[in-house]
Every structure is written in C-alpha cells, then in structure tokens.
Amino acid sequence: AESVDLMRLGREEVAANPDGISVWGPQVEAMIASGRLTREAMRPGGAGFPIMMQRYTTAMAATPAFVWLITSPGRVQELAAGRDWLRINLAATSLGLGLHPVSQALQEFPAMAQARAEAQGLLARDGGTVQMLGRLGYAESVPPTPRWPAESRIRVV
C-alpha cells in the first residue's frame, strides 16, 4: 500500500509529481483511460494486486544476485549507507549491471514488522541493521528517472 501511494500513474501524474514511482507507457495510459488501472485495484484485496504480486515474485525468483548494506546503529552510519548505496549503483551501472532496490521488507512500520525481523535475521546474523537491499543483474535499459529541477529542492537561507 505504501508503494501504491507513491505511484505516479500515467505521464500526466509523473510530470506533475516526478518524485514517486513512475508508471507510464502506452499500455498503462490505455489501462488508466479505461479505468482498469487505479490505485484501488493495486492495493491488497484489489483486482490488480495478485497480478502485481505475481510479476514481483517472478522478478525476484529470476534475480541472479542480491546486495545489501549493514551498519551499526547511529544516524551517521545510516547517512553513510545512503552514500555507499549510490556508489554501489554507480559502480554497477559502469559495469553494465542494473541495481533495483527492494527494501520494502526493511520498512519500519507495524505492517512490516515480521518481514523486517525475518530480513534482519537472514542478512545481519552477526548484528547491525540492514539499511538497503537490492537486486543485482543484467537488465534492459531504462530511460532516466523523472526528477524535480534541483533549484526547486534547494532552500537558500
């Protein structure tokens, strides 16, 4: 549900709010226009939810490698993990690989508590906190991600 809330469905929404999960293209636009693709349909219990889950399950099963970052507790370490994640992404890209973050199980809200505990137990057996988790492998080329203009996000004080 959290990811669905962040989805921007169709070119119009992506252009208006380029900070979410962009979902657009000819088939998507047609499904939106016909009313078949809605946020409600993609939520748990919705008609599109099983389709979304099957696509995700198939992609996860086909993943040749995963990468994750573990830190000791602390805000400085958390920020360093974000920096390191960007460096991993750039290194992977330079090698012709794709890096797809799949950190949903690491989210810190009640509905994800069990998944988070399982992920931490599997990936951080010696302690620490798993900060990022991603799929690593060869992938089709994707267009640049829509972005807000930098000047719209920088505050001068």
Side-chain angles (χ1 to χ4, degrees), residues 45-128:
F49 186 76
I51 296 166
M52 229 173 41
M53 289 303 295
Q54 181 56 48
R55 290 180 129 186
Y56 206 77
T57 301
T58 300
M60 295 296 279
T63 300
F66 291 86
V67 60
W68 57 94
L69 291 175
I70 299 172
T71 67
S72 56
R75 192 65 175 147
V76 170
Q77 291 82 353
E78 292 170 356
L79 292 170
R83 179 197 61 219
D84 292 344
W85 186 257
L86 290 174
R87 289 178 174 160
I88 291 168
N89 198 348
L90 290 170
T93 300
S94 75
L95 296 170
L97 297 169
L99 179 62
H100 174 215
V102 289
S103 297
Q104 293 88 337
L106 306 178
Q107 297 298 315
E108 299 173 334
F109 57 92
M112 296 305 294
Q114 182 179 345
R116 182 171 171 35
E118 289 176 22
Q120 295 294 334
L122 286 170
L123 304 174
R125 292 187 186 129
D126 296 329

Side-chain angles (χ1 to χ4, degrees), residues 28-60:
V28 171
E29 302 294 335
M31 290 174 67
I32 292 168
S34 71
R36 292 182 309 167
L37 180 57
T38 66
R39 281 182 187 76
E40 292 70 33
M42 293 190 300
R43 292 187 194 290
F49 186 76
I51 296 166
M52 229 173 41
M53 289 303 295
Q54 181 56 48
R55 290 180 129 186
Y56 206 77
T57 301
T58 300
M60 295 296 279

